[in-house]
Amino acid sequence: MAMITGPLSGDAKDTVAQALQGALVDLIDLSLVAKQAHWNLIGPHFRPIHLQLDELTELARSHMDTIAERAVAVGINPDGRSTTVAKSTKLQQPESGWIEDGKVVATITDLLDGVSKRMHERVRATDEPDPVTQDLLIAVAQDIDKQHWMFQAQA
Ligand SMILES: [Fe+2]
């Protein structure tokens, strides 16, 4: 059986694996929550928020692929299964049914605040073990922080 080994080993590899898997779950669930809100949104500010939520979904999807493929490149198996995401996500799930625009903005702002903090922790954790992974996480954090600002500005 083919094995992808990559440049890392030992503790460094474990740290990087944890950071990448955590980031992957955050990004997958962020894309799901953003779509859920995109569909169930109601209220006078429907249009801009509806569109902004799709921007967030696209951004999460694009970064999740970069993150998962970095994992593979360093010999770590990304786990994007729905059962794994459901078990390990730190994102609070939205309620079912309609969600009013103000509530959506507050909820997404909160979620992005949490994702941002965790991404920054991962940036710090990967500094020594793998600056290449760190660089990718910095790019993710940059986009998450920007989205956080743009949702927060509407609250
Ligand atoms: Fe849509």
Side-chain angles (χ1 to χ4, degrees):
M1 190 162 63
M3 293 275 288
I4 313 296
T5 51
L8 304 174
S9 60
D11 286 351
K13 192 171 179 178
D14 291 345
T15 302
V16 169
Q18 210 181 4
L20 288 171
Q21 179 62 31
L24 180 62
V25 168
D26 264 342
L27 291 167
I28 292 174
D29 205 22
L30 186 60
S31 76
L32 297 175
V33 170
K35 267 299 186 194
Q36 175 73 9
H38 172 84
W39 295 320
N40 289 288
L41 175 69
I42 47 167
H45 304 293
F46 172 85
R47 190 67 187 163
I49 298 169
H50 179 71
L51 297 177
Q52 196 180 351
L53 286 162
D54 252 1
E55 241 178 69
L56 183 57
T57 305
E58 282 313 307
L59 177 154
R61 283 179 181 165
S62 148
H63 281 305
M64 77 172 73
D65 198 51
T66 310
I67 292 298
E69 290 181 358
R70 177 64 191 163
V72 182
V74 295
I76 294 160
N77 292 110
D79 187 349
R81 294 174 295 177
S82 60
T83 48
T84 301
V85 174
K87 252 190 326 220
S88 58
T89 185
K90 295 194 162 64
L91 272 60
Q92 204 184 335
Q93 299 302 298
E95 289 161 31
S96 65
W98 305 118
I99 323 174
E100 299 218 19
D101 48 11
K103 180 119 194 253
V104 166
V105 168
T107 304
I108 298 289
T109 300
D110 255 20
L111 289 186
L112 288 171
D113 184 55
V115 174
S116 167
K117 287 189 171 112
R118 291 191 291 280
M119 287 300 169
H120 283 260
E121 278 166 25
R122 292 169 190 132
V123 166
R124 285 190 288 274
T126 51
D127 179 47
E128 193 59 38
D130 185 23
V132 180
T133 292
Q134 185 196 39
D135 189 55
L136 299 177
L137 290 167
I138 288 170
V140 177
Q142 184 186 1
D143 277 345
I144 294 293
D145 291 351
K146 185 175 174 183
Q147 288 294 321
H148 182 234
W149 150 50
M150 291 197 291
F151 275 94
Q152 203 171 26
Q154 295 178 77

